[in-house]
Amino acid sequence: MESNEIGFLRATWSRVVLGMDDSKFKPNGARSGSLLSPVLFNIYFQKVLRSMQAMSVDMEGILAYADDLLIICDSPCQLSKVIVKLKEELESLGLVLNAKKSAVVEFVWRNCRTRSLSIKSKVERAPVENFYRYLGLYLDSKLTIFTHLNKLREKLLYQAEALGKVLFQFSAGYRKDL
């Protein structure tokens, strides 16, 4: 191997310590954007998934992609227990649940007028919101597409305005040929 190839491999793997028994697995982290990052998360997260399963959380109600997590609970009581257990399990692995990137959305029937949780209240310090963005998709409390489309419209209008300012700087003759 060439010295630059060896240097690349060292840089890729040097921050990771792997051990095969469950209790000794201590990754130091992977570089941001590394292909190794989601793999490490999946390996690391198995202990958390087993504890959720032991709490009778439906495994089909846990959606995890890379390090983004969505857990669907049947009741506010179960939700509180799951959040507490999730924090405990993550702390035992040396991880912390990012409160700034966490929220609770209560999904209700579209014609439902009452909710168990009030918006802007907190469940185990996680704010209750009317919608939340998960993997780029805005999920609202009634699981409609309208919130997502409105957010997308806002983004497109902002980008169109910014593009308009740039295009305005070009002459009319030049813009005609675009």
Side-chain angles (χ1 to χ4, degrees), residues 62-81:
I62 298 177
L63 307 173
Y65 180 80
D67 62 349
D68 293 318
L69 179 65
L70 181 133
I71 301 176
I72 299 172
C73 296
D74 294 327
S75 68
C77 180
Q78 183 189 35
L79 174 64
S80 291
K81 290 176 184 175

Side-chain angles (χ1 to χ4, degrees), residues 34-121:
S34 166
L35 294 175
L36 190 57
S37 188
V39 173
L40 286 175
F41 176 80
N42 286 335
I43 293 169
Y44 219 53
F45 204 67
Q46 288 302 309
K47 180 181 177 195
V48 178
L49 287 175
R50 285 193 298 270
S51 71
M52 294 292 125
Q53 195 170 23
M55 292 179 63
S56 299
V57 174
D58 184 9
M59 289 294 102
E60 291 179 4
I62 298 177
L63 307 173
Y65 180 80
D67 62 349
D68 293 318
L69 179 65
L70 181 133
I71 301 176
I72 299 172
C73 296
D74 294 327
S75 68
C77 180
Q78 183 189 35
L79 174 64
S80 291
K81 290 176 184 175
V82 165
I83 292 173
V84 168
K85 186 66 171 177
L86 180 62
K87 285 179 181 179
E88 287 173 5
E89 292 294 335
L90 290 175
E91 286 175 11
S92 76
L93 295 170
L95 301 171
V96 178
L97 188 64
N98 188 341
K100 292 179 183 175
K101 293 184 176 182
S102 301
V104 173
V105 176
E106 181 181 13
F107 298 128
V108 296
W109 295 106
R110 291 186 184 164
N111 58 0
C112 181
R113 300 281 181 225
T114 59
R115 299 171 184 253
S116 301
L117 305 170
S118 58
I119 303 300
K120 301 299 178 196
S121 65

